[in-house]
Amino acid sequence: MKMDIQAVFLDRDGTIGGDDKVHYPGDFKLYANSKMDIDYLKKFVQVFSFTNQPGISFGEVNKEDFYNELMGFGFDDVFLCPHHYKEGCNCRKPHPGMLKDAAYKYQLNLNHGVVIGDRWSDMVAASKTNSVRILVKTGAGMSTLHEHFEKLKGIEIDFVAENLTEAVNWIRGRYHLS
């Protein structure tokens, strides 16, 4: 049975570039194939960035810098949580607020969404919307698998990829994008 995908949501830090730390715009570097992977996916579906960036709430950086950087990488839109985890918002992953905001704004059925990320919080947010869950081993992916596995209890990860390119290739094969 072939499922149509309406959108792919990509985490920023550790998924499309950087490492397991947050790097602010200007210091952030994409992985070698990330721009190509984003452009490829955009031929078939909408591609969104969704990212927690608590440095905004600390006044260390502004939201517009993240937005402009991510839009410059080719995303169709950017969904960003600027809050620190202690603020208790509904948008910060592992809450699904950013995914739900995108669904509302673009009339998406999140059952037809794919989330690619390197952290347990990406996978938990995706599970709360019944989106396809792909964990990449880049960034914090290995520590998610080996140190934070208890936070994934009861959550099925659909695919574990070495990197974003392998995740995109899995999507292409599974959902017949060509």
Side-chain angles (χ1 to χ4, degrees):
M1 183 173 101
K2 181 181 174 240
M3 177 186 90
D4 291 328
I5 298 173
Q6 293 181 342
V8 175
F9 296 87
L10 298 173
D11 174 56
R12 179 183 181 266
D13 300 290
T15 300
I16 64 169
D19 49 36
D20 64 344
K21 308 279 188 287
V22 174
H23 297 276
Y24 291 148
D27 294 328
F28 182 79
K29 304 289 184 242
L30 282 178
Y31 296 139
N33 293 329
S34 291
K35 178 74 168 105
M36 181 179 66
D37 293 334
I38 293 166
D39 291 344
Y40 174 79
L41 288 169
K42 283 182 58 172
K43 293 177 186 177
F44 307 100
V45 297
Q46 293 178 297
V47 182
F48 303 115
S49 173
F50 83 128
T51 181
N52 291 342
Q53 295 300 335
I56 295 167
S57 69
F58 301 138
E60 296 171 355
V61 65
N62 68 56
K63 189 174 184 175
E64 293 75 25
D65 289 340
F66 280 104
Y67 181 83
N68 291 335
E69 173 197 69
L70 290 161
M71 290 300 289
F73 296 153
F75 286 102
D76 290 307
D77 204 347
V78 174
F79 294 88
L80 187 145
C81 172
H83 307 108
H84 185 269
Y85 76 91
K86 290 181 181 178
E87 292 181 64
C89 67
N90 290 323
C91 55
R92 184 176 175 82
K93 297 179 276 184
H95 298 293
M98 289 184 279
L99 298 172
K100 289 181 175 182
D101 287 348
Y104 178 78
K105 184 174 181 178
Y106 291 97
Q107 284 83 54
L108 301 172
N109 178 342
L110 293 173
N111 291 322
H112 297 274
V114 176
V115 170
I116 304 173
D118 68 318
R119 294 185 182 271
W120 66 270
S121 55
D122 300 318
M123 298 301 100
V124 172
S127 74
K128 290 178 179 178
T129 61
N130 201 31
S131 297
V132 173
R133 296 164 292 282
I134 302 175
L135 180 74
V136 291
K137 292 182 181 178
T138 53
M142 293 303 288
S143 67
T144 293
L145 288 171
H146 300 293
E147 298 165 27
H148 299 287
F149 59 89
E150 74 282 350
K151 294 175 182 169
L152 294 171
K153 188 173 184 166
I155 295 173
E156 180 181 334
I157 296 174
D158 295 290
F159 185 65
V160 177
E162 291 297 321
N163 53 41
L164 179 60
T165 299
E166 187 176 59
V168 170
N169 287 336
W170 184 81
I171 292 168
R172 182 171 62 198
R174 178 151 179 139
Y175 300 105
H176 311 293
L177 302 181
S178 58

